[in-house]
Amino acid sequence: QVQLVESGGGLVQAGGSLRLSCAASGRTFSNYIMGWFRQAPGKEREFVAAIRRSGGTTNYADSVKDRFTISRDNAKNTVYLQMNSLKSEDTAVYYCAARGGTYVSPTAGHYNYWGQGTQVTVSS
């Protein structure tokens, strides 16, 4: 089992920045591919970004490319999502997720473990 706890969400004005963190405990963090997903009210959960175990390979949704950066610190068992130039359409609950294997998947169903989510609200 892997337990995931997100933090760092909040209210920010459009154009601002936030950094989300996800702390993992349980099994060896460096064995897992980590992803961030988000879900806005009335919408499906959607992929945001993912990062390989070593951090060398990342994958981003087109909607956040060049604005968001995913990174990880395996010594701290933590994955981060730096969000810049935030837009109102980025408003959602953001979830951290973990999966085994080697594919940096954008598919929510491929992830085995999920955090409880953290709310990000961007005011225009």
Side-chain angles (χ1 to χ4, degrees):
Q1 282 285 75
V2 176
Q3 292 79 43
L4 303 171
V5 179
E6 302 96 334
S7 60
L11 174 64
V12 63
Q13 288 190 329
S17 298
L18 277 176
R19 188 174 84 153
L20 305 182
S21 300
C22 172
S25 60
R27 295 190 175 175
T28 305
F29 177 72
S30 58
N31 286 346
Y32 292 89
I33 289 167
M34 300 300 297
W36 286 98
F37 292 78
R38 65 187 182 187
Q39 188 167 18
K43 294 191 175 181
E44 299 273 321
R45 189 168 298 190
E46 66 172 1
F47 172 71
V48 175
I51 188 167
R52 197 166 243 178
R53 292 175 288 183
S54 64
T57 300
T58 56
N59 189 6
Y60 292 94
D62 287 343
S63 59
V64 306
K65 207 169 287 185
D66 299 325
R67 298 190 299 123
F68 290 11
T69 302
I70 188 170
S71 62
R72 65 191 295 163
D73 186 337
N74 287 342
K76 294 184 178 180
N77 292 349
T78 302
V79 62
Y80 303 98
L81 186 68
Q82 178 67 43
M83 305 186 294
N84 298 329
S85 303
L86 283 160
K87 306 175 182 179
S88 57
E89 50 263 45
D90 295 318
T91 294
V93 177
Y94 283 71
Y95 297 90
C96 170
R99 71 179 300 264
T102 59
Y103 175 42
V104 188
S105 175
T107 304
H110 290 169
Y111 288 78
N112 308 105
Y113 304 102
W114 292 83
Q116 82 291 346
T118 185
Q119 177 70 48
V120 172
T121 303
V122 184
S123 62
S124 55

